[in-house]
Amino acid sequence: PAGLNAGTFPAKLWRLVNSPRVRSVRWDSQAQGLLIDRSLFERELLSPARAHLAPQDSFKATQFRSFLCQLSRYGFYKVPGRARAGVPGDAGGCLRFRNPNFRRD
């Protein structure tokens, strides 16, 4: 988004959630939160095999717990429970996070 320093955590997260190449993190069906498939996220974005990412899109974290700390630091909170499989566009088993200032539109 305009006005956001490209090297910051929120800017990286914004680019990744909007990237068609990244499958592990996406918008929820209301475009008001993030859905994260933890195991896929760890393989896709935190493992040494993440060389396919541009350096500006790579997180410094290599542990999911560190990534969660960054989410918390930037005002994201975990929505209790798991994303319901019955909601179109949402997949069961994903972790859901929200931040009132981080939305698709």
Side-chain angles (χ1 to χ4, degrees), residues 65-100:
R65 183 176 177 93
S66 298
F67 174 75
L68 293 179
C69 287
Q70 286 291 308
L71 282 176
S72 178
R73 179 178 186 191
Y74 284 96
F76 287 83
Y77 61 93
K78 184 177 180 223
V79 177
R82 299 279 182 159
R84 292 176 294 150
V87 177
D90 290 353
C94 288
L95 301 171
R96 185 186 306 240
F97 293 89
R98 288 206 173 157
N99 177 319

Side-chain angles (χ1 to χ4, degrees), residues 43-74:
R43 290 190 314 270
E44 188 175 50
L45 300 174
L46 300 181
S47 76
R50 62 186 170 180
H52 67 283
L53 293 175
Q56 69 270 18
D57 291 337
S58 181
F59 294 116
K60 292 179 185 175
T62 57
Q63 301 293 318
F64 193 72
R65 183 176 177 93
S66 298
F67 174 75
L68 293 179
C69 287
Q70 286 291 308
L71 282 176
S72 178
R73 179 178 186 191
Y74 284 96

